[in-house]
Amino acid sequence: MNTVNILGIDFYNTTFNQFIDTLSTHLEEKSKAFVVTANPEVVMRARKDQAYKAIIQQADYVTADGIGIVKGAGLLGTALPERVTGYDMTLRLLQLAHEKQYSVYLLGGKDHVVKKAAATIAEDYPNVRIAGYHHGFFDLNDEGIVETIQHVNPDIILVALGLGRQEAWISQNKDAFQHGIFIGVGGTFDGLAGEVQRAPEFWQKLNLEWFYRLMKEPSRWRRQLVLPHFALKVLQVKMSRAGKAPARS
């Protein structure tokens, strides 16, 4: 598999459409895949948390969710073609599930949010088989959740438990299933439920979706501090490779 290493994390070198084709093949073949959609926050957390990094490295595919990853790859001379975001991936998979009548399970979010997200999917993609849904407020070691999902045997499992927790749940439980696409989708259910408005296309094209969200949710400012740290580390690595300065760990 062709990958690009960004600060210790191997990203799948693919376009969005190519990756959807890859996942479509998994669905047709009834095989299994663990997908991590990673932004700079994921990369920087993996640098500090070796247990989390080990989980990310277990994934079958790590895609460039954030524009910072794409820009960082370019600076390091190993370009990635474009973002492959969790939200857009979810929408395309739902369209594919509608066309092929695949089943989908939603795990995570607040109770009323996941219910609204499931209702939206049922309305917008009527041929999708909603295998079930469950809120995200449960113990990660709750085997009852796993048994419930095993029983309904979904084709696609969308896991919205937040950074770290969703990847941990998938890593811990994916071997209990015979097939399925497992994807950590973060706040996607909030978007599907209409709880959070996605940035208009204008902002997306300018690669300023992160700034739009910051304006709408000022409380996110602490999370955004990771962006300059990520950029600095990329520049340090770039300079180190050029023999101008040592890279710091």
Side-chain angles (χ1 to χ4, degrees):
M1 183 169 61
N2 185 9
T3 60
V4 172
N5 189 280
I6 307 295
L7 303 186
I9 300 298
D10 289 324
F11 285 83
Y12 189 35
N13 192 353
T14 182
T15 66
F16 181 82
N17 287 332
Q18 287 171 343
F19 190 59
I20 295 300
D21 288 343
T22 297
L23 295 183
S24 178
T25 298
H26 279 286
L27 289 166
E28 291 172 2
E29 296 178 349
K30 289 287 185 178
S31 57
K32 191 161 41 179
F34 172 16
V35 181
V36 172
T37 60
N39 57 19
E41 187 177 0
V42 169
V43 173
M44 297 306 285
R45 176 166 177 167
R47 290 181 63 82
K48 294 181 179 180
D49 185 341
Q50 289 302 305
Y52 181 63
K53 183 177 182 179
I55 289 174
I56 300 301
Q57 291 175 326
Q58 291 176 21
D60 297 289
Y61 307 100
V62 180
T63 68
D65 186 84
I67 188 60
I69 299 296
V70 176
K71 297 295 186 183
L75 283 172
L76 294 174
T78 52
L80 289 167
E82 61 183 337
R83 296 170 67 200
V84 182
T85 71
Y87 190 86
D88 292 323
M89 192 188 307
T90 298
L91 295 184
R92 186 68 70 85
L93 283 175
L94 289 173
Q95 180 59 41
L96 185 62
H98 170 71
E99 295 168 1
K100 302 288 187 177
Q101 297 187 353
Y102 291 131
S103 59
V104 178
Y105 194 97
L106 286 71
L107 179 64
K110 296 178 181 178
D111 189 52
H112 78 280
V113 170
V114 70
K115 287 179 180 178
K116 286 177 66 176
T120 297
I121 292 171
E123 181 177 351
D124 294 347
Y125 307 93
N127 290 332
V128 172
R129 292 184 291 119
I130 304 294
Y133 55 83
H134 194 284
H135 62 74
F137 297 89
F138 61 90
D139 190 303
L140 286 184
N141 295 315
D142 186 344
E143 295 183 359
I145 301 291
V146 179
E147 291 172 358
T148 296
I149 302 175
Q150 281 179 316
H151 180 71
V152 296
N153 197 29
D155 298 301
I156 301 168
I157 302 90
L158 303 175
V159 185
L161 300 177
L163 179 64
R165 197 164 179 261
Q166 60 194 21
E167 292 84 17
W169 187 91
I170 295 172
S171 173
Q172 182 175 318
N173 296 295
K174 61 184 176 63
D175 290 342
F177 297 85
Q178 294 299 315
H179 75 102
I181 305 297
F182 295 80
I183 305 177
V185 296
T188 294
F189 294 173
D190 291 306
L192 289 172
E195 297 286 305
V196 174
Q197 183 181 7
R198 194 180 185 191
E201 189 174 351
F202 170 78
W203 291 86
Q204 295 179 45
K205 288 182 176 180
L206 289 177
N207 295 320
L208 290 174
E209 191 169 2
W210 64 271
F211 185 63
Y212 179 87
R213 290 191 65 185
L214 182 61
M215 289 193 302
K216 292 292 184 179
E217 303 174 67
S219 61
R220 292 176 59 88
W221 71 269
R222 291 184 184 276
R223 293 181 60 182
Q224 299 298 342
L225 291 177
V226 75
L227 297 177
H229 293 162
F230 171 81
L232 177 60
K233 177 52 64 177
V234 168
L235 289 173
Q236 287 175 346
V237 172
K238 178 180 176 64
M239 294 175 68
S240 175
R241 291 179 180 178
K244 295 181 180 179
R248 299 177 183 175
S249 60

